[in-house]
Amino acid sequence: MASAFHLSDRFDKTLPHHGSISTLWNNMWRPAASKGVHPFADARVEDFEPIFVELEKKGINDGYLEEYTETFQPYGAALVKQAENAEKAGDTKIAEDLYLRAAAVYRIGRFPYIINEKQQKSWERQKKYYVKGSSLGQFPILEVDIPHVHALAGRDGSAIPAYLCLPKVQASVRLPLLLMINGLDGYRTESSAWTKFACCHGWALLSLEIPGTGDCPAAADDPLSPDRLFRSVLDWVKLDDRIDENNVVAWGRSTGAYYALRLAHVNAQQVKGAVVQGLGCHRVFEEEWLRHVDQFEYSFKYVPLAVPAHDSLSSDKGF
């Protein structure tokens, strides 16, 4: 079919990793895990080899199945046990690494989107051990609940969970802030590399989720909820005497880049700029794209992830 998208004849083809966990692991995810890049931040490839062998043996090829998530749990627990033993022995650096590796296992266990209780539990474990590991590192994470002062009653939640990390400076110094806005499948628990980078360069980093994902309180079915969300965040920044409210930059990854761009437009007087990394906007929300996107390069089906996170699509497009 003729298409306005730059995929030529690939627009109607299904890539081979769909329906094959072995192909996904060998062709796409093992190389990513070997490098520790998305979606394998803080990971070690050797932690995942036996998991994917087991998934293949069980014939589990769908990341949305509870059986998929359950397979990861004992492997994460084993790493936690090693981390606890290292911490008791005073091997702080080893414990930090092991806790973060455990969090990475739980992360892929709840990947790509939380639609069932098993995934929710894996997400809770990921948060617990990500914070535990980070607390042992050079720049400990502070868990903050930002008051959602612009919340719409009965629609939005009352608090915005976020992670804040601060470089070591004199208490009187107000810090520039990187406001990290995460994507559809990447949450605030995957920011350790960016956190260290920011803090080593003298920046504070605040990481949070976008509407419809993670712990974000913004109503996913309200197109105006993101603007309320970020107004509350920026108001909180003004009141925090650790942060220079005149030196804030939004940094959005993947779908978070769309929100970073939107934030910078709506709140142009309150941010110095926006870094939009892997930006998705305009036609990625159109029906023609969404009718085909499940067969493209995304690890699993994309629509079960994208539509709940942008809930108004369900009625607008009939998904």
Side-chain angles (χ1 to χ4, degrees):
M1 64 178 284
S3 171
F5 299 101
H6 300 291
L7 289 173
S8 187
D9 61 338
R10 292 177 294 160
F11 195 71
D12 292 306
K13 291 183 178 178
T14 300
L15 293 181
H17 66 277
H18 289 292
S20 171
I21 202 75
S22 176
T23 302
L24 173 64
W25 173 245
N26 289 308
N27 292 7
M28 296 175 62
W29 275 8
R30 181 188 278 122
S34 298
K35 297 174 183 177
V37 298
H38 181 81
F40 289 90
D42 302 315
R44 292 273 190 92
V45 67
E46 58 264 31
D47 296 334
F48 289 90
E49 292 280 9
I51 299 174
F52 282 89
V53 168
E54 185 172 344
L55 287 169
E56 186 176 4
K57 287 181 179 178
K58 291 179 176 178
I60 298 171
N61 298 296
D62 185 350
Y64 294 103
L65 295 176
E66 290 187 351
E67 293 83 358
Y68 169 89
T69 301
E70 287 176 336
T71 303
F72 287 78
Q73 304 312 299
Y75 294 93
L79 288 167
V80 168
K81 184 64 174 177
Q82 292 178 50
E84 291 171 342
N85 290 338
E87 188 177 9
K88 288 176 183 176
D91 296 326
T92 304
K93 183 60 182 173
I94 293 174
E96 175 195 2
D97 180 61
L98 285 164
Y99 280 127
L100 292 176
R101 285 165 59 185
V105 169
Y106 288 126
R107 185 268 171 98
I108 300 300
R110 63 95 183 144
F111 193 88
Y113 189 73
I114 300 168
I115 62 171
N116 60 57
E117 184 179 347
K118 300 290 186 183
Q119 288 174 313
Q120 181 64 35
K121 287 181 178 179
S122 198
W123 162 230
E124 297 299 332
R125 290 171 182 137
Q126 182 192 1
K127 286 187 288 185
K128 178 179 179 179
Y129 295 114
Y130 179 78
V131 171
K132 181 69 173 174
S134 298
S135 72
L136 300 175
Q138 182 182 4
F139 303 109
I141 281 173
L142 304 174
E143 298 180 85
V144 295
D145 285 321
I146 298 170
H148 196 350
V149 295
H150 295 286
L152 184 62
R155 301 300 312 283
D156 302 319
S158 61
I160 304 165
Y163 290 160
L164 176 66
C165 202
L166 305 167
K168 294 176 172 63
V169 296
Q170 293 181 352
S172 60
V173 175
R174 285 189 172 240
L175 297 162
L177 176 70
L178 277 176
L179 174 56
M180 174 154 283
I181 305 170
N182 295 289
L184 287 178
D185 59 38
Y187 301 163
R188 68 189 189 277
T189 40
E190 290 100 55
S191 301
S192 61
W194 312 117
T195 296
K196 291 174 184 176
F197 175 83
C199 288
C200 284
H201 287 80
W203 285 70
L205 185 140
L206 182 71
S207 184
L208 70 163
E209 285 96 44
I210 59 174
T213 71
D215 292 327
C216 183
D221 61 349
D222 183 346
L224 297 180
S225 74
D227 301 327
R228 297 193 296 270
L229 177 81
F230 292 117
R231 282 203 304 273
S232 291
V233 171
L234 292 171
D235 282 359
W236 176 83
V237 167
K238 286 182 184 179
L239 298 174
D240 194 304
D241 58 11
R242 297 168 294 185
I243 299 172
D244 179 1
E245 65 177 280
N246 298 310
N247 206 356
V248 177
V249 173
W251 182 1
R253 298 186 291 165
S254 190
T255 305
Y258 160 77
Y259 288 98
L261 190 65
R262 175 171 172 163
L263 180 156
H265 174 73
V266 174
N267 305 279
Q269 302 306 313
Q270 293 177 268
V271 294
K272 281 206 165 182
V275 178
V276 288
Q277 181 181 352
L279 176 64
C281 61
H282 300 308
R283 302 205 67 178
V284 300
F285 299 111
E286 291 188 3
E287 182 175 358
E288 184 185 7
W289 178 259
L290 291 172
R291 293 290 180 194
H292 287 77
V293 72
D294 276 352
Q295 66 207 40
F296 297 155
E297 70 270 16
Y298 194 72
S299 306
F300 299 110
K301 288 185 177 181
Y302 184 77
V303 168
L305 159 72
V307 171
H310 303 94
D311 202 40
S312 59
L313 290 172
S314 300
S315 56
D316 291 348
K317 305 298 183 186
F319 289 100

